[in-house]
Each structure stands twice: as structure tokens, then as C-alpha cells.
Amino acid sequence: MTVEFLPAPGTPVELIDTPAMIVDLDAAEANIRDMQQVVASGGSSMRPHTKTTKSPYWALKQIEAGAIGVCCAKVGEAEVLVEGGVNDILITSEIVSVSKINRLAALARHASIKVVVDNAENAREISEAAVSAQSEIGVLVDVNIRINRCGVEPGEPTTTLAKIVDKLPALHFAGLNGYEGHVFGFGDERIPETLEALEKLQHAVSEVNAAGLPIETVSAGGTSTHDITCKVPEVSEVQAGSYIFMDGQYVDQKLSFRPALTIMTQVISRPVPDRAILDVGLKSIANDYGPPRVMGLDGAEFTKLSEEHGTLSLTGSAQKLKHGDVVHLLPSHAGTTINIHDHYFCVRNGILEDVIEVAGRGKFR
């Protein structure tokens, strides 16, 4: 039997075994408050996406700060959230297989569950399952507004599907979902591309309204577009998720949120003055968006990530790094990094305050 020894609250952060996923609680809580304030001031509600955090702990913190509910990507994630006390969830990926649809319908007996659809037959299958389970499921028609992934086209295809959903038993047509995706750029540079996508969603809203169907919810937005999307009158809720921790791909955009999550790793070898080897590898930090960044150590550059090791190139004062020292790395992509860890080690002022399970880890079904 494998036993994992977790550190007790009060442990200095540098004494936590590595590699460890460290959260700066002050930074994460400030990010939650700041996003809530920005979105509310723009006239929208927050429905943060938990595909990043994969944890009821963080979802409940966001709801406590004012979010109306949360999003997730999978039925398995939704099940974990409901078990953890979250009772208003939008699943933003299409749910297709019979077993998943049955789980979705069963879950809707215990919480307010909404799901997106972009196919009439899929909507009928969800309806049949909900009837059988004696539950009701909210449905948002998924509209393709920019990234050419899922979603029907705005206009007639959206309106036709909305009419079908509205007539199906045990389904409640709730509105439209449109994700504009990650829009790169600084400040106002993001506005034209974001608004071009959202104009398609606005057109879809107008057409559905003209068909006589009431729309309660228009869900859109992400971390990179939150401050633009929240001001669009038709948008009722914003789905941003990565803002809570930030990562390498977002930090470059100089958004008004602080990096709050790092992977703490330890120097296990100093073979030559200009190289350090760390105990972090592909099994503990993701590199799908590029290598991690070294935090707070001038002259250190991350150069190689292998299965069990990471390599730093050292110049100047960074060459003082010693065998056994800890180094903090900012992942290029927080979501995929979080999914390979079991616990968050939540720290305030350098001291461990709590250890939180990543309860949704691996829940990709």
C-alpha cells in the first residue's frame, strides 16, 4: 500500500516535498475579487470555468465572491462539483454517449444542470434521458462565433435548433452559448477581434428573439476577453477560468491578474557552474504551450524538460544556486499542469495554510 505523507498546516513552503503545486492564496483570492468586480461593473455575471481548477474548493470561493454558478467541461467534473456542494453548473462541451447522457440526467436531480448542444438528435437523446430520470436539464444552443470548433452557425441553424429544444420534454431552453476563444494582444488591440466574434452571437440572439423564444442566458467570454465581453449588452454571463491562477500564455498579455500558481521544484544536481538539474519533469509540469518560466531567479533560464528532470541554464548571480535549493516555475499552461497533480498546497506569506485535493483530476469522461 502506498502512503503519501502530506505536510501539516504551518509548514514553511520550502519544506514541502517537491515537485509540489503551490498556490499563493493572497494572489488567487485577489484575482477572484478583481475579476468579479470587473465583470459586474460591465453589467454581466460571473460563471467561472472550473476546467482550470478542477476543484469544488475554488468553485465555492468564486461563488462566495459573487459568481452565480460555474462552468465545467465534462460530466465527471460536474459530478465532483455537485458532490462538493456546488449546485449551479453549465457543462460547456457537448455530451453525446448514452452512458454520459444518463449520468447527466441523473445528476440534474441533485443540482441545477445546464448543457450545450449543437445537434438536434443529441438534444432528443438528452430529453429522453431526462424524462426517464424524472429530471429537468437546461439547454443552451452552442453557437460557433470564431474558433470553428463546436457549435451551429448563427442565424437560421441556431434558431431552428433552439425551436427544437424548446419543444422537447424535460428540457428547458435557457439561451445561447458562444465562446470567442483566446484573443491575443494587449489592451485595446483585443477589441476588434473580440467584438467581431460577439457580433455573430448578437445576431444569433436577435434571430432567436425574433422567432418568439425568450432567452434567459447568453454565456460567453474568457480570461483574455473578459473586460470586453462583459460590456456587450446581450451577454449575461462570462465564463473566464484561467484568471484565478494565470500562466505563461496569459502573463504575456499583461492582464490585471497576478500569477498565483507555481510548481516548486528542487535542485538535485549541479554538475557544472552554468547548469542545474531539477526534480521536475513532464510528469509534473505541462509543456503543451511551451517551457515553464523560472520565477524570481535572474539569470536562470529553463532549457530542457524530460520525463523526470528539468534543466536550467545559469548565468551571473543564478550560478549561486545550490544543491537542494528550491525553484518556482510558472507553467505555460495551468490547466494541463493541474490535471497531473493530486493536491494544491495553499500558502500564505510563505507558510502552508491548507492542502486541497484536485478532486476533478482525470475526470475527462
Side-chain angles (χ1 to χ4, degrees):
M1 181 176 68
T2 301
V3 178
E4 182 169 9
F5 296 95
L6 296 175
T11 300
V13 63
E14 64 272 11
L15 297 184
I16 298 171
D17 273 346
T18 57
M21 188 164 66
I22 307 296
V23 175
D24 179 336
L25 281 171
D26 285 338
E29 290 167 358
N31 290 345
I32 292 171
R33 290 192 302 270
D34 291 348
M35 176 63 84
Q36 184 66 39
Q37 291 170 1
V38 170
V39 170
S41 68
S44 295
S45 298
M46 263 305 290
R47 183 180 291 276
H49 213 305
T50 64
K51 66 179 182 178
T52 299
T53 61
K54 294 184 173 292
S55 165
Y57 173 87
W58 297 109
L60 291 171
K61 274 186 174 288
Q62 290 166 314
I63 290 168
E64 183 181 354
I68 59 172
V70 299
C71 300
C72 67
K74 306 288 184 172
V75 176
E77 292 175 344
E79 289 167 336
V80 167
L81 289 166
V82 171
E83 184 179 357
V86 180
N87 58 22
D88 191 326
I89 300 166
L90 167 63
I91 301 175
T92 59
S93 296
E94 281 71 8
I95 305 303
V96 173
S97 75
V98 172
S99 61
K100 291 174 190 170
I101 290 172
N102 287 338
R103 286 161 55 203
L104 175 73
L107 192 63
R109 293 199 300 263
H110 305 287
S112 174
I113 301 295
K114 293 175 278 293
V115 68
V116 303
V117 300
D118 66 359
N119 176 273
E121 186 56 35
N122 180 221
R124 293 186 185 99
E125 291 166 349
I126 295 172
S127 169
E128 291 169 4
V131 169
S132 178
Q134 296 184 315
S135 61
E136 182 179 80
I137 299 172
V139 172
L140 277 68
V141 172
D142 200 10
V143 186
N144 175 32
I145 61 172
R146 178 172 174 263
I147 59 177
N148 294 327
R149 195 164 60 188
C150 299
V152 292
E153 295 304 306
E156 186 275 330
T158 296
T159 303
T160 297
L161 184 53
K163 289 177 179 178
I164 292 170
V165 169
D166 188 57
K167 290 182 170 58
L168 289 172
L171 299 189
H172 170 66
F173 173 65
L176 305 181
N177 179 79
Y179 178 49
E180 63 270 30
H182 193 143
V183 176
F184 292 92
F186 301 101
D188 290 349
E189 294 174 1
R190 300 165 296 139
I191 293 176
E193 194 170 359
T194 303
L195 292 184
E196 181 182 1
L198 291 172
E199 283 173 4
K200 297 177 182 178
L201 187 57
Q202 290 173 295
H203 172 62
V205 169
S206 175
E207 292 290 300
V208 172
N209 280 333
L213 294 178
I215 294 178
E216 300 167 5
T217 300
V218 177
S219 196
T223 295
S224 69
T225 61
H226 70 281
D227 53 331
I228 305 166
T229 304
C230 71
K231 297 174 184 175
V232 173
E234 289 82 358
V235 173
S236 62
E237 59 183 43
V238 171
Q239 300 179 6
S242 295
Y243 72 94
I244 186 173
F245 297 139
M246 299 297 283
D247 55 28
Q249 67 161 336
Y250 282 107
V251 165
D252 281 345
Q253 288 192 261
K254 303 187 187 306
L255 301 172
S256 59
F257 306 104
R258 296 157 53 190
L261 182 145
T262 58
I263 300 301
M264 187 176 74
T265 177
Q266 190 170 37
V267 177
I268 59 171
S269 180
R270 286 288 277 113
V272 292
D274 64 351
R275 185 168 75 245
I277 306 301
L278 308 175
D279 66 352
V280 67
L282 287 165
K283 293 177 180 177
S284 49
I285 195 166
N287 70 340
D288 48 323
Y289 289 167
R293 304 181 187 196
V294 183
M295 303 292 283
L297 185 62
D298 291 340
E301 181 182 0
F302 200 97
T303 59
K304 185 179 180 182
L305 187 67
S306 53
E307 191 170 350
E308 302 288 357
H309 301 90
T311 302
L312 296 183
S313 174
L314 306 175
T315 60
S317 61
Q319 293 191 355
K320 296 177 183 178
L321 198 64
K322 303 186 301 297
H323 190 273
D325 284 349
V326 297
V327 175
H328 287 262
L329 302 175
L330 179 70
S332 62
H333 190 184
T336 49
T337 296
I338 291 165
N339 195 47
I340 52 178
H341 282 261
D342 291 322
H343 297 97
Y344 293 100
F345 296 93
C346 300
V347 171
R348 204 182 303 274
N349 298 321
I351 301 297
L352 181 67
E353 189 168 299
D354 210 348
V355 179
I356 302 300
E357 180 187 8
V358 185
R361 176 188 178 184
K363 302 296 184 182
F364 40 69
R365 295 188 180 92

